[in-house]
Amino acid sequence: MKRATVGLVVLVTFFGLLLSACSQSNGAAETEVAQGTGKARASSDKPVEISVFAQQDLGIDLKTNDFSRFLEEKFNAAFDWDVVSMDGAREKRQISLASGDFPDAYILTSYIDQFSQSDVLKYGKQGVFLPLNELIEQYAPNIKAAMEKDPVLKAFNTAPDGKIYGLVAYSECFHCSYPNKMWVNTSWLDKLGLEMPRTTAEFKAMLEAFKQEDPNGNGLPDEVPLTGSIEDFGVHIMPYLMNGFIYDDDRQYLFMSNGKVDTVADKPQWKEGIAFIKSLYDEGLIDPGAFIQNAEALKKMGDNSAEVILGAAAAMHPAIFVSERTRDYAPLPPLTGPYASYATFESSGIQPGAKFVITNRASAEAQIALIKMVDYMYTPEGQTMAQAGLEGVGWRKPQAGEKALDERLEPKFSNLIPIENAKPTNSGWSGMAHFYMPREYRESWVASPDIYATDGYERRLRDATLLYEGHEPKELYPMWKMWMDPEEADEAGILQTNLTNYIDQSMIQFITGNLELDKDWDNYVLGLRGMQVDRYVEIMQAVYDQSLGTDK
């Protein structure tokens, strides 16, 4: 399945940005700190020219954007933007690198097109990505202090050779930790006299009622019992359903038992899970579009103007698939299946890799200006401006009586852009701006006690996530902390890509009937062996053992 992700997921982060007085000096030092090949500017008064590759959200024009212009003025810079849309952003990023005509920097969106750890090591070792250590030491006190304070942040950013070739999007987001949620139309449940299902069998019975009993009351068989999308952050329908049978991490298809790594994709429980999902598909309970549609098509279904037609959807949060009717959809806790009741877990929703890198095309002045800009975004003021834009446009200061999400904290920021009916402002960078949002920062956002209020959405997501917390397996492969040796990174990256694509496509073929479980399962398993799943598991085991110091 395609693994770009849902752009609308960034809307929830409007709730968490605070303002504090932090400043960064203008100008750029004249000393060269890394061996970039770009030309130095002729005059210290002339703006530093910086070329940047970035994914551009709908409603944002980076060339005219308020925050872009703010950075240009503050740091005496002039951006030359190479912008791409969400669709195919990751592929376009790779084409940009492969062409040899790449920009000074990449500022990516973590859940859409950021570089993998394998990419970071590969291009760092090749000298395409410049090490940032000296730049950070000399020009980025906020980044330096954050990594000294938080060893996890440092581990995410530091390669095994001690070099920092790029910076991850560090957002400690509790509701992102369990992205694969299911949301059910409670208005339909009430109309049909149904309770929230607790088991996989009850879930199927609910979908059957949605399809057969005309819950929208228009006399037409237009109800869509269940749908999802092909992007990321919880919109795949299969992990939520598969987790009643065996753990589905929705990424590498790995699980651990007693410190040993294995794949789930060849186990009998995986086969039974596919059979269950296929039974839903065969009865018309799953929208075929769930396997091919993008975020725009998914939301169009949720926002259907004539009638409410959607019964349930997989998503990290409901605003991904519906605009004005989010209160009609409630989170469904993990289902109890024949073997399990798991929830897919990701550590704070932070993906390893790098959203920001500086290439060897950047001049010394561009390198310094870029690291100072990012350092500014490591302050509450900078992160707030970057994400939401100007004060009075995307955010405001709290008013008397307002409370933070964590009520023990002083509220620092209040959102001005509602999740429902959110309209683009072209003031901030939205998800592209996610650089440094530790949990204390996020939980100092204003959040109403009323979870259905305009400013109560983040509290609603926290409460929903509590239903999933603790349902992950006792042992998890800590992918977010693993760095592979450079010589194995390319091999593992190729194996992972090929295997996940094969597993994803085979699952769809089994579910839709292009492959038959009884007849084709053994050949599918042989295909996994032929694609070296055992070698991939071996590499992942070795990396895990090395991380524990148990590699003999």
Side-chain angles (χ1 to χ4, degrees):
M1 256 177 287
K2 179 181 175 185
R3 291 183 182 272
T5 191
V6 181
L8 290 171
V9 71
V10 303
L11 294 174
V12 298
T13 59
F14 282 141
F15 284 86
L17 311 173
L18 69 110
L19 177 68
S20 70
C22 299
S23 63
Q24 181 73 33
S25 62
N26 291 322
E30 297 300 324
T31 57
E32 186 167 354
V33 296
Q35 295 301 315
T37 61
K39 295 180 180 179
R41 58 193 173 94
S43 168
S44 60
D45 295 328
K46 182 180 178 181
V48 181
E49 295 183 3
I50 304 174
S51 58
V52 179
F53 179 101
Q55 181 271 328
Q56 186 169 272
D57 281 0
L58 293 174
I60 292 178
D61 180 353
L62 290 171
K63 297 178 182 179
T64 62
N65 181 269
D66 286 343
F67 187 66
S68 298
R69 290 177 168 176
F70 172 83
L71 288 181
E72 288 179 319
E73 182 177 351
K74 184 175 181 65
F75 296 98
N76 192 31
F79 289 121
D80 177 13
W81 293 103
D82 179 6
V83 297
V84 298
S85 63
M86 181 189 302
D87 289 338
R90 192 170 300 179
E91 292 79 7
K92 293 169 186 174
R93 176 208 72 194
Q94 289 304 103
I95 292 171
S96 168
L97 272 175
S99 71
D101 185 22
F102 44 80
D104 299 334
Y106 290 81
I107 304 178
L108 307 177
T109 304
S110 62
Y111 45 83
I112 294 177
D113 61 348
Q114 85 166 13
F115 291 108
S116 68
Q117 285 178 319
S118 177
D119 293 327
V120 172
L121 284 173
K122 175 182 177 180
Y123 294 109
K125 290 296 183 182
Q126 291 178 357
V128 176
F129 295 168
L130 298 178
L132 306 178
N133 303 59
E134 188 174 345
L135 284 166
I136 291 171
E137 180 68 28
Q138 293 189 44
Y139 305 107
N142 297 301
I143 299 175
K144 180 181 177 181
M147 284 198 276
E148 289 176 348
K149 177 182 178 182
D150 187 347
V152 175
L153 172 64
K154 185 175 182 179
F156 266 112
N157 289 325
T158 308
D161 62 3
K163 301 291 182 58
I164 299 172
Y165 296 111
L167 296 176
V168 75
Y170 196 73
S171 175
E172 291 186 294
C173 168
F174 176 57
H175 74 257
C176 306
S177 299
Y178 297 86
N180 295 87
K181 300 181 180 71
M182 183 64 65
W183 299 85
V184 173
N185 190 325
T186 54
S187 296
W188 284 12
L189 290 180
D190 292 342
K191 183 170 182 179
L192 300 178
L194 300 175
E195 295 183 354
M196 278 284 202
R198 294 166 297 176
T199 67
T200 51
E202 290 176 359
F203 184 77
K204 181 176 182 178
M206 178 194 74
L207 297 182
E208 289 171 340
F210 285 172
K211 179 177 175 62
Q212 299 167 5
E213 299 182 26
D214 191 28
N216 67 10
N218 68 352
L220 299 173
D222 57 353
E223 287 82 2
V224 178
L226 171 63
T227 195
S229 180
I230 59 173
E231 279 92 355
D232 223 335
F233 270 81
V235 289
H236 303 158
I237 63 170
M238 288 180 279
Y240 179 85
L241 299 173
M242 187 65 76
N243 275 327
F245 296 82
I246 193 170
Y247 184 62
D248 185 347
D249 65 10
D250 197 25
R251 296 194 182 276
Q252 288 80 28
Y253 304 118
L254 297 175
F255 80 101
M256 297 196 67
S257 179
N258 298 318
K260 298 301 179 183
V261 184
D262 203 351
T263 181
V264 297
D266 61 356
K267 301 299 181 284
Q269 297 95 323
W270 189 262
K271 182 180 180 181
E272 288 188 47
I274 293 176
F276 171 71
I277 300 171
K278 175 175 172 53
S279 74
L280 303 182
Y281 183 87
D282 288 346
E283 294 184 27
L285 307 180
I286 295 177
D287 170 31
F291 305 121
I292 59 174
Q293 69 188 0
N294 60 19
E296 184 179 358
L298 172 62
K299 195 156 193 184
K300 187 175 294 185
M301 181 175 294
D303 287 342
N304 188 61
S305 58
E307 299 284 353
V308 177
I309 62 171
L310 184 56
M316 191 180 71
H317 62 90
I320 289 173
F321 62 87
V322 67
S323 297
E324 298 182 4
R325 305 166 181 153
T326 61
R327 68 171 57 209
D328 289 340
Y329 293 86
L332 182 63
L335 297 171
T336 300
Y339 306 105
S341 180
Y342 289 132
T344 301
F345 176 77
E346 294 179 9
S347 178
S348 297
I350 303 169
Q351 293 301 308
K355 70 164 271 94
F356 170 77
V357 299
I358 299 176
T359 77
N360 60 17
R361 297 300 175 89
S363 68
E365 292 87 354
Q367 294 172 41
I368 295 169
L370 282 162
I371 204 66
K372 284 186 173 183
M373 290 176 185
V374 174
D375 190 64
Y376 175 65
M377 286 183 271
Y378 262 65
T379 69
E381 175 189 293
Q383 183 63 88
T384 301
M385 292 275 287
Q387 163 68 30
L390 303 181
E391 182 178 4
V393 178
W395 62 278
R396 62 168 172 79
K397 295 174 182 176
Q399 298 173 353
E402 291 184 322
K403 295 183 178 180
L405 179 62
D406 183 342
E407 296 186 2
R408 297 169 297 179
L409 299 174
E410 179 185 355
K412 298 294 185 180
F413 166 84
S414 184
N415 173 56
L416 286 177
I417 303 177
I419 293 297
E420 298 177 341
N421 285 325
K423 296 179 181 179
T425 65
N426 197 34
S427 194
W429 280 358
S430 192
M432 177 183 149
H434 294 176
F435 272 96
Y436 184 58
M437 296 190 287
R439 186 162 182 172
E440 182 178 355
Y441 173 85
R442 292 186 61 99
E443 294 189 352
S444 66
W445 310 344
V446 167
S448 171
D450 179 1
I451 64 172
Y452 295 110
T454 301
D455 57 353
Y457 195 74
E458 185 76 15
R459 191 178 302 280
R460 182 183 177 192
L461 298 189
R462 186 195 64 174
D463 292 350
T465 306
L466 291 172
L467 302 175
Y468 295 78
E469 187 179 31
H471 281 265
E472 66 273 18
K474 292 181 180 179
E475 288 184 84
L476 288 167
Y477 190 85
M479 183 63 69
W480 52 91
K481 296 193 293 185
M482 298 294 114
W483 284 90
M484 295 182 187
D485 292 331
E487 59 269 20
E488 291 184 332
D490 283 345
E491 180 186 6
I494 292 170
L495 289 174
Q496 178 185 322
T497 298
N498 291 341
L499 284 164
T500 54
N501 286 340
Y502 177 71
I503 293 166
D504 288 342
Q505 294 303 319
S506 296
M507 287 178 70
I508 293 173
Q509 289 180 306
F510 280 126
I511 291 166
T512 59
N514 292 326
L515 292 176
E516 297 181 23
L517 275 170
D518 292 336
K519 185 175 73 173
D520 297 316
W521 176 260
D522 290 343
N523 284 335
Y524 156 73
V525 173
L526 287 174
L528 284 173
R529 300 287 174 259
M531 299 182 77
Q532 301 186 70
V533 67
D534 295 331
R535 172 59 180 156
Y536 179 62
V537 168
E538 178 186 8
I539 293 172
M540 304 310 281
Q541 181 73 61
V543 175
Y544 176 76
D545 289 343
Q546 187 175 22
S547 74
L548 298 178
T550 59
D551 185 11
K552 304 302 182 184

